[in-house]
Each structure stands twice: as structure tokens, then as C-alpha cells.
Amino acid sequence: MAVLVFPAIAAQQPTTNQATVAVETNAAGQVYAPMTRGGFLEHLDDQICGGVFEPGSPPADEKGFRSDVIKALKELKVSVIRRPGGCFVDAYHRQKGVGKNRRPYGDPHWGVIESDAFGPHEFVELCRRIGAEPYICHHGPADFQEDVGWVAYCSGIEGVLPLERRPGVDGMAIRQQFPGLRMVGHYNKMVMPDGEEARRTEFERLLPLIKTGRFIPGVDHQIAPGVSLEN
């Protein structure tokens, strides 16, 4: 066992104070969860375009990935990579970064033109090459419909449960964007203590969505407080 002793740093403390750290050099090895060894990619300066992805450069392969950077990332054994993340995500829309006709735009935070040459497909390809899991981060001013779009596009989900109501989710807008999506929920449970008329009005609001099919009205998680057994 090794012992390290550090004298107190703060001048206000008595000089007799000290901290002791014991290092068990013969302790058994500890197994750590691999997902705690992750990284983060943001479209800032040349971290991505010019970093891991630089089509036409000498170290880049036929798809534009820099072989030298890929090799270095493999050596780091990165288990998960987050993208887009950071301030960049506030103005990011996945639709701009897919297909042949990419749509460059001005990033409001960093004041640069984002080419969208590196999109969702390139990101997943990067993760596959280095053996990492893709962690798609979306936040900021994005609405629920766009979040559903991300998940449906990346994994082909078939349903949403529960479909929240209170955050301002528009069930009909989701249906128009994803005609085959199954949905359960979307009933505003906060009207339940207000009596039968309020509950009927809420059901009538959902009738157009019910008629589209693949939708079951319901409440999320639990009944609202204050609802009597009769209601």
C-alpha cells in the first residue's frame, strides 16, 4: 500500500491539518461499464469537417473519413459518441444533412457556415468504424414532432407510448408526418377533475385523430390528483 500525504493548502487552516490518500496497489482489478468511456462531437471549427471527415484530403479514404484520425480513435477505445449536442444543436435539423442535396446554413452560435456534409449517415458510419455506439442528442427549441422524426428515421419505430399532451404535442401534426405511427395517450388528464362535460370535450378534441386509426386515447402514467372514484 502506498500513502500520499498532502499538507493543507488554505492559509486560513491550521498548518497541522493534512489529507491522507491510501492507494491499494495489490487490490483486485475493477470492471467499469464501457459506456462511461465516451466522447462528444460538435460542429465547431474543424473538429468534424477537417477533423474526422475531410473528403479530398490525402489521409481521407473514398468516403471522406480520415484514416489517421480513425486509427487514433480506435486506439482510444471510445465506447459511445454524442452528436450533434452542444449549442450547435439549437439550429440543427437532420433533414438538412441527408441525401445528395445538402442544405448549408449559417450557424447562429458560432457564426460559421455549416455545410451539412457530415450528417446522420456519416455519423453512424464513423461510429461503426471505430466500434462506438451512436448517441444522438437533440434539445433546444426542437418540438416533439422533430424528436419523433429523429427516432423514426434512425430506428424505424412503430409506436409512441405514452404520447404526452401537456407539453403542447400536436397529435394530428405527428399523424400527418408519420401516417403509420401507432400512438397511445394524448388525453389531457388535467381536465378529469372538472366533470363529465370537460372530459367529453377532451374526447371530442381527439375524435379526428381517433378516426385516422392506429391511435388509442389514454392518459400518461397515472390519473390526475383530485379525481373521484365516480369520475
Side-chain angles (χ1 to χ4, degrees):
M1 181 178 71
V3 178
L4 306 179
V5 179
F6 300 93
I9 298 175
Q12 298 88 342
Q13 298 296 323
T15 56
T16 55
N17 283 5
Q18 63 182 23
T20 302
V21 178
V23 181
E24 295 286 348
T25 57
N26 59 347
Q30 178 71 40
V31 178
Y32 293 94
M35 296 299 283
T36 62
R37 301 295 185 267
F40 165 48
L41 274 179
E42 184 175 359
H43 292 252
L44 174 61
D45 197 22
D46 57 359
Q47 182 181 141
I48 295 179
C49 292
V52 298
F53 189 73
E54 192 176 19
S57 69
D61 62 16
E62 70 281 358
K63 290 189 176 181
F65 291 92
R66 288 187 49 159
S67 57
D68 55 342
V69 179
I70 297 295
K71 181 177 182 294
L73 290 174
K74 284 183 176 180
E75 292 175 355
L76 289 174
K77 297 182 179 180
V78 180
S79 58
V80 58
I81 300 179
R82 190 185 80 168
R83 178 197 174 269
C87 298
F88 172 81
V89 77
D90 288 348
Y92 185 76
H93 302 279
R94 65 172 174 82
Q95 298 91 335
K96 298 178 181 178
V98 297
K100 295 182 179 180
N101 299 317
R102 305 292 174 97
R103 293 177 287 171
Y105 65 95
D107 180 75
H109 291 290
W110 304 125
V112 297
I113 299 298
E114 170 54 43
S115 68
D116 264 329
F118 187 94
H121 289 268
E122 289 77 17
F123 171 54
V124 173
E125 174 71 15
L126 169 66
C127 291
R128 287 173 176 168
R129 290 185 178 217
I130 67 174
E133 291 290 334
Y135 172 9
I136 295 174
C137 175
H138 203 216
H139 60 84
D143 56 22
F144 184 80
Q145 284 83 277
E146 183 155 355
D147 290 336
V148 171
W150 258 111
V151 180
Y153 183 81
C154 294
S155 62
I157 63 167
E158 297 182 350
V160 177
L161 170 69
L163 179 65
E164 301 282 0
R165 163 61 183 163
R166 296 196 68 195
V169 178
D170 187 340
M172 285 301 295
I174 296 174
R175 170 62 72 233
Q176 292 168 6
Q177 187 176 2
F178 306 99
L181 188 69
R182 295 175 175 86
M183 298 180 285
V184 179
H186 209 38
Y187 185 91
N188 185 5
K189 66 183 181 182
M190 302 310 292
V191 306
M192 297 181 71
D194 299 334
E196 183 176 351
E197 183 177 350
R199 296 195 297 274
R200 287 184 178 274
T201 299
E202 180 63 11
F203 268 117
E204 290 173 359
R205 181 187 69 83
L206 297 176
L207 275 177
L209 184 58
I210 294 173
K211 291 178 180 179
T212 67
R214 297 173 178 261
F215 169 68
I216 301 175
V219 299
D220 61 299
H221 310 304
Q222 61 184 9
I223 296 175
V227 179
S228 65
L229 181 62
E230 293 76 14
N231 288 337

